[in-house]
Amino acid sequence: MPKVLLIDDDTELTALLSEYLEEEGFEVETSADARVGIAGAADQSADIIVLDVMMPRMNGIDALQRIRRLGDVPILMLTAKGDDIDRISGLNFGADDYVAKPCSPGELVARIRAILRRAGSRFGDENVLHVGNLILHPAGRTAQWQGKPLELTGAEFNILEVLARNAGQLVPKQDISRRAFGRALTPFDRRIDVHISSVRQKLGTRGDGTSWIRSIRGQGYQLVQEL
C-alpha cells in the first residue's frame, strides 16, 4: 500500500483528501505543521509527499527545500490558483508537480499515480474503471464510451468518475461536490446539475429512451449499473 504524507493546515480539506486517498488504496499520514511534516519526511517511509505552499510558521517552499536535502522522495505541491510564482519556485526547488487549489480529490489521485509511475514506483499502475460500456482512465483522465473516445471537460470527468465508482447507487449531490470539486455545495448552486446535463447528452439515452444517469429530486444522481 503506497504511503502519502499530506502536509496542509486546512483540516477540512485534509480530512476530505485523506478519506478519498484511503478509499483509493493509499495509506495516509497527515500534518498541519510544515516543521512536523519535515520530521515525518526524515524517516523516509512516505512514497510521496503532498505539500501545501501557504502554511503558517513555515511555508511550503521552505519546507520543500529542507525535505529535498533529506532525500529524493516525490513531492506534489498544492498551490493557490493562478499563482505562477509559487509554481515556478516549487518546480525550481525540486517539486515533481503541482496542483492548484481548490482541486478535486480525483485529480489529486491521478497526479499522484502519474508521479509514482514516472518515478518507477510499483504503485504507479493506473486503476482503470470499467462499468459496462464505460471505461475511465483516472491517471490519464481519458474516457471511452461504447468503444469510442468520450470527450469530457475536467469537471465532467470528475463527476462521472464519482458516479462510476458508485455505479448503481444513489450519490447525494453534496457528496458529488466534495469528491469531484473538493468543496461543499452551497445553496442554489446548480453547477452539478449543469455538468450532469452535459454528460447525459454525450452518453445519449438507453434503449427505452431513459437517461444513463438517473436523478432523484432533491437527493442526488445514480449511474445506471446495467450498462
Side-chain angles (χ1 to χ4, degrees):
M1 182 178 294
K3 182 176 180 180
V4 178
L5 174 57
L6 178 56
I7 307 174
D8 194 326
D9 65 317
D10 186 335
T11 55
E12 182 177 353
L13 178 62
T14 297
L16 172 67
L17 295 179
S18 295
E19 180 183 357
Y20 193 91
L21 285 164
E22 288 171 353
E23 290 178 353
E24 289 295 306
F26 292 89
E27 177 185 353
V28 184
E29 179 182 343
T30 64
S31 174
D33 187 311
R35 292 187 296 185
V36 175
I38 291 172
D43 65 14
Q44 300 184 354
S45 65
D47 295 291
I48 187 169
I49 296 174
V50 178
L51 177 63
D52 186 28
V53 171
M54 297 298 295
M55 287 187 293
R57 302 179 69 181
M58 177 185 290
N59 66 52
I61 299 299
D62 290 339
L64 168 64
Q65 295 179 72
R66 296 196 183 191
I67 294 172
R68 269 289 161 259
R69 289 197 287 267
L70 298 172
D72 58 358
V73 59
I75 299 175
L76 174 66
M77 302 293 293
L78 296 177
T79 67
K81 186 176 183 180
D83 197 333
D84 293 333
I85 294 177
D86 283 340
R87 298 178 187 180
I88 294 171
S89 297
L91 294 173
N92 284 339
F93 285 119
D96 293 86
D97 202 352
Y98 63 84
V99 174
K101 296 172 69 175
C103 64
S104 73
E107 180 183 2
L108 182 67
V109 168
R111 293 293 185 92
I112 288 174
R113 292 191 190 281
I115 292 172
L116 291 175
R117 188 167 58 251
R118 291 198 301 267
S121 169
R122 67 186 186 279
F123 303 121
D125 294 334
E126 183 177 355
N127 180 25
V128 178
L129 289 175
H130 195 161
V131 183
N133 291 320
L134 176 66
I135 301 175
L136 296 179
H137 300 265
R141 296 183 66 76
T142 59
Q144 290 176 284
W145 172 241
Q146 296 180 341
K148 298 180 180 179
L150 179 63
E151 298 297 329
L152 299 168
T153 66
E156 291 169 359
F157 187 94
N158 292 344
I159 291 174
L160 189 55
E161 181 183 356
V162 173
L163 295 178
R165 291 186 183 279
N166 298 273
Q169 303 175 38
L170 173 69
V171 185
K173 291 174 65 175
Q174 193 64 256
D175 288 353
I176 295 175
S177 183
R178 289 184 179 278
R179 293 177 180 274
F181 303 111
R183 57 182 181 271
L185 192 67
T186 58
F188 310 110
D189 189 339
R190 298 297 304 275
R191 69 180 183 276
I192 290 178
D193 303 310
V194 172
H195 292 312
I196 289 285
S197 177
S198 178
V199 174
R200 279 173 165 166
Q201 291 181 11
K202 293 178 180 182
L203 295 180
T205 58
R206 303 171 66 199
D208 60 2
T210 61
S211 174
W212 291 104
I213 300 178
R214 294 173 178 165
S215 62
I216 299 181
R217 187 175 180 84
Q219 297 185 46
Y221 292 97
Q222 174 190 29
L223 180 64
V224 177
Q225 193 170 22
E226 300 81 15
L227 301 178

